[in-house]
Amino acid sequence: MRQGSWTRLLLAVTLLAVVAPSADAQTYYVVVSGIGGDPTYTQRFTQWGDMVVDAAHSRWGVPDSDIAYLGEHPDSDAKMRGPATKLRLTAALQALAASMAGVDRLV
C-alpha cells in the first residue's frame, strides 16, 4: 500500500473513533507502532503513531494516562510506554480495561 493510502486509512480510523462521542464517555487509546523491518518503515510507522498520539492530546484532550503507545524502539521515543510485544500489549489492555466504565470507548 502506498504512503498516501496508509495515511488516509489511519486518518479514517481515527476519525471514526471520535464521531458522535457520548458526553459521559471517556475515550482510551492503544497505539501500536509495528516492526518495520527496514529503518525507513520503522521511522514511518513511528511517525504515524506519534501523529495519532499528538492528535489525541491536542485535538481531543486525551490525557497521557488514557493512552497506551507501544513501539519498536521505545527508548528513542519519549511518547512510547514500552516495546510492542504481546506481553506489553496484553498488560496495557488489561490496565485500560480496569479503568473503563460501560460507556467508555477503546480505540
Side-chain angles (χ1 to χ4, degrees):
M1 199 178 272
R2 294 186 359 232
Q3 180 178 359
S5 298
W6 278 109
T7 303
R8 284 190 296 276
L9 176 63
L10 179 66
L11 291 174
V13 169
T14 303
L15 289 174
L16 286 174
V18 296
V19 172
S22 168
D24 297 330
Q26 177 68 33
T27 302
Y28 296 85
Y29 283 80
V30 176
V31 179
V32 180
S33 175
I35 297 175
D38 178 85
T40 302
Y41 292 114
T42 300
Q43 180 183 14
R44 188 175 299 158
F45 294 161
T46 299
Q47 287 173 340
W48 290 342
D50 286 348
M51 286 173 36
V52 171
V53 171
D54 290 343
H57 285 300
S58 64
R59 293 184 181 176
W60 303 303
V62 179
D64 282 335
S65 60
D66 295 348
I67 300 172
Y69 181 21
L70 307 174
E72 185 173 354
H73 297 292
D75 52 332
S76 64
D77 191 325
K79 296 175 188 174
M80 290 183 190
R81 287 195 186 172
T85 63
K86 179 182 176 181
L87 182 64
R88 289 300 292 253
L89 179 58
T90 300
L93 290 171
Q94 288 173 339
L96 289 175
S99 302
M100 295 177 70
V103 295
D104 293 340
R105 296 178 302 171
L106 178 63
V107 179

